[in-house]
Amino acid sequence: MSDDIKKQLAQAKKNYQNKDYEGAKDLYETLYNQKPESFTIWDKRFYSWALYQLYVKNPDDETSLLEAVDMITELVAQEDHSQKDGVCAYTMSVMKLLDYLYKKHDYANLLIWADNLNPDFLSTKTSKFTTNDGREVTTASNKEKYYNWTSKSYQEVEDYDMCLEVSKKALEELTSFTNNSDVWFKWRIARSLREIGEYGEAIEYLKDIYKTKKDWFIRWELAENYFFEGDHEKSLEYAVSAALSHGDSDKKIKLYSLLEDLLEDDDPEIALKHSYLIYSIRLHNEWGIDEELEEKIESAGLDTQNTEYWKIEKELKGYWKDLKFKHQQPNYGIISRIFPHGKTGFVKRDDGESFFFNGFEFKGDPNKYRENVKVSFYLEEGYDRKKNEVKMNAVNIVDL
């Protein structure tokens, strides 16, 4: 190596150390194009960090970001941070790019770039920070982020075999999870199993999720899998529970369609009302309506201009409630406690036994959502995460 190149490389390094990243990059770029063999590992690392500072750390141009990460992965290799902490321009740059592509929903390209990382080398260290309102937040490790991004991407591109493989590997290899990511890995496994026709196994994963996550769409997916498995009684049980659960009506169209299919033979009139509910929701949101549905509503002599879907839904709620609780008598008692945040509390039955409830289960007059109000309620299995045990919770609470 000539003395002149040595001096220029030393100057490029000095530029970087003085935070003249543009000057460092220009000099490194010129020298690398001319004499790449003159670069030591340290020259390549400083060149990589200059590119990172300019185009990767706070990207504002996709082309520059892609070109910079491509160059960085040519200059340096991924370092193994599985056992010790450290900074690596390669890892940080590819992770930044994956984050960018994930937020852009560019799942196909994310998977291409994810192949540049060895997940076994990624750190499992989480970090914590305190928000302005005093909450302590834990952020995911690089390894958790990698598995989350790739499993989600495989699901989105409908490569269900790979989604299964990556999601299961995440559950095996990660020892801690943030933001309930373990639940989401299980959910993606269940979704993938459903897509490949493994309904029984999908149900087992969903039932495990259902212990701690009672969202309507988990109940709906249980209903779907039971339906495909041929167990229509179980499917109906979870479907009406999902319909009664808190959630936006316009997101429940597939659920209402499933209920229509389940009720078509035994109660065609109620099944038709579910079709009408779907029609009204689509009309209200100015979504397209297929000819078959339109003809069905017209043939039944129903108002084809009705956009007040909530009125139809209200009529159906009584039916859903009767189906859900047909094997259970109502319980009576009082709201004994509402926690300060107002989102949860306890009801005490007339015999003195208390049951936990979520605030959205109160279906009565909002002005009567307070302690010592007399109520009727039903019971449903819940899960006490702290005690790791199944308990009965109060649901469908109505003031008397």
Side-chain angles (χ1 to χ4, degrees):
M1 185 194 312
S2 70
D3 289 341
D4 182 53
I5 290 178
K6 281 184 179 179
K7 285 180 181 178
Q8 290 186 74
L9 286 171
Q11 181 60 51
K13 178 182 176 181
K14 188 176 181 181
N15 288 347
Y16 178 84
Q17 291 173 327
N18 289 331
K19 297 187 178 181
D20 178 9
Y21 304 126
E22 194 74 49
K25 184 270 298 181
D26 289 344
L27 200 45
Y28 278 130
E29 186 174 59
T30 300
L31 294 169
Y32 193 77
N33 287 334
Q34 294 172 354
K35 293 280 186 179
E37 68 278 6
S38 301
F39 277 59
T40 66
I41 185 58
W42 287 105
D43 295 322
K44 291 177 180 179
R45 285 176 178 173
F46 278 111
Y47 183 12
S48 296
W49 282 117
L51 291 169
Y52 177 86
Q53 292 290 346
L54 288 169
Y55 307 115
V56 182
K57 186 177 181 180
N58 296 299
D60 54 14
D61 175 69
E62 184 172 324
T63 302
S64 298
L65 170 63
L66 290 166
E67 289 176 352
V69 178
D70 191 43
M71 189 66 202
I72 290 167
T73 55
E74 178 185 320
L75 289 165
V76 292
Q78 181 184 1
E79 296 172 27
D80 187 350
H81 289 149
S82 58
Q83 302 299 323
K84 62 179 182 179
D85 296 330
V87 290
C88 167
Y90 184 109
T91 301
M92 289 177 67
S93 298
V94 177
M95 289 294 290
K96 273 282 187 180
L97 178 55
L98 296 186
D99 185 34
Y100 174 86
L101 294 171
Y102 186 77
K103 289 172 179 173
K104 191 185 171 189
H105 308 301
D106 189 351
Y107 301 112
N109 275 320
L110 184 150
L111 290 170
I112 292 170
W113 277 98
D115 277 343
N116 289 281
L117 282 176
N118 180 349
D120 293 338
F121 285 1
L122 295 175
S123 171
T124 57
K125 182 182 178 183
T126 58
S127 57
K128 295 183 179 181
F129 68 93
T130 304
T131 62
N132 291 334
D133 59 0
R135 290 183 301 112
E136 190 174 77
V137 177
T138 302
T139 59
S141 67
N142 277 347
K143 195 166 190 174
E144 184 181 350
K145 288 177 186 175
Y146 170 88
Y147 279 125
N148 184 47
W149 293 336
T150 53
S151 67
K152 167 76 171 178
S153 297
Y154 279 122
Q155 182 184 26
E156 291 295 330
V157 301
E158 300 181 2
D159 188 340
Y160 300 113
D161 289 328
M162 282 303 298
C163 183
L164 274 171
E165 182 180 322
V166 170
S167 300
K168 286 183 177 182
K169 194 172 181 182
L171 291 173
E172 290 168 4
E173 296 201 357
L174 295 170
T175 56
S176 62
F177 301 89
T178 60
N179 300 317
N180 294 318
S181 67
D182 54 331
V183 172
W184 293 111
F185 287 126
K186 290 174 186 176
W187 177 71
R188 289 182 196 130
I189 290 170
R191 289 295 297 269
S192 297
L193 288 166
R194 185 198 69 181
E195 293 295 337
I196 64 175
E198 299 291 340
Y199 307 121
E201 194 177 348
I203 287 168
E204 291 308 308
Y205 274 95
L206 287 167
K207 285 168 79 174
D208 185 41
I209 295 169
Y210 189 58
K211 289 178 183 176
T212 55
K213 194 169 183 62
K214 301 291 187 181
D215 301 64
W216 74 267
F217 63 87
I218 301 298
R219 304 176 198 222
W220 163 54
E221 292 193 23
L222 277 161
E224 267 199 325
N225 280 280
Y226 276 117
F227 179 81
F228 293 138
E229 222 185 19
D231 190 340
H232 288 194
E233 186 176 341
K234 270 287 185 187
S235 179
L236 184 60
E237 177 187 325
Y238 280 106
V240 295
S241 182
L244 286 165
S245 297
H246 181 71
D248 296 332
S249 302
D250 58 358
K251 292 183 174 65
K252 292 185 176 181
I253 283 183
K254 289 183 180 179
L255 166 64
Y256 299 144
S257 181
L258 174 61
L259 279 163
E260 179 188 359
D261 291 339
L262 286 164
L263 297 165
E264 198 166 27
D265 292 334
D266 295 335
D267 201 333
E269 187 177 333
I270 290 293
L272 175 63
K273 190 163 282 190
H274 283 83
S275 288
Y276 194 30
L277 174 58
I278 293 168
Y279 178 90
S280 184
I281 290 171
R282 298 193 74 88
L283 195 66
H284 175 84
N285 288 287
E286 299 181 353
W287 296 338
I289 298 172
D290 64 64
E291 289 183 15
E292 185 180 347
L293 177 58
E294 196 157 15
E295 286 175 9
K296 184 189 288 189
I297 301 307
E298 285 179 357
S299 300
L302 297 167
D303 180 5
T304 58
Q305 302 303 312
N306 182 12
T307 60
E308 296 178 327
Y309 66 84
W310 52 90
K311 291 183 178 179
I312 306 168
E313 191 175 49
K314 187 176 181 180
E315 291 175 24
L316 284 169
K317 277 184 178 177
Y319 182 84
W320 296 333
K321 180 181 170 183
D322 289 343
L323 275 179
K324 180 175 180 178
F325 301 114
K326 65 181 178 181
H327 298 304
Q328 187 181 149
Q329 291 296 316
N331 296 271
Y332 298 94
I334 63 166
I335 297 177
S336 58
R337 185 179 182 188
I338 298 175
F339 289 101
H341 51 61
K343 295 179 181 179
T344 55
F346 283 93
V347 295
K348 183 184 285 187
R349 196 164 57 187
D350 287 343
D351 64 5
E353 188 170 359
S354 292
F355 301 94
F356 176 84
F357 73 90
N358 282 294
F360 54 75
E361 287 293 346
F362 185 79
K363 311 296 184 183
D365 181 351
N367 295 317
K368 293 185 178 180
Y369 181 58
R370 60 179 184 268
E371 293 178 359
N372 297 315
V373 168
K374 291 183 179 181
V375 292
S376 67
F377 60 95
Y378 291 88
L379 296 175
E380 185 175 81
E381 274 192 359
Y383 185 75
D384 189 327
R385 206 164 188 174
K386 289 182 179 177
K387 295 182 179 179
N388 192 29
E389 62 184 22
V390 174
K391 284 192 170 183
M392 301 305 290
N393 290 341
V395 297
N396 209 81
I397 304 164
V398 180
D399 58 278
L400 296 175

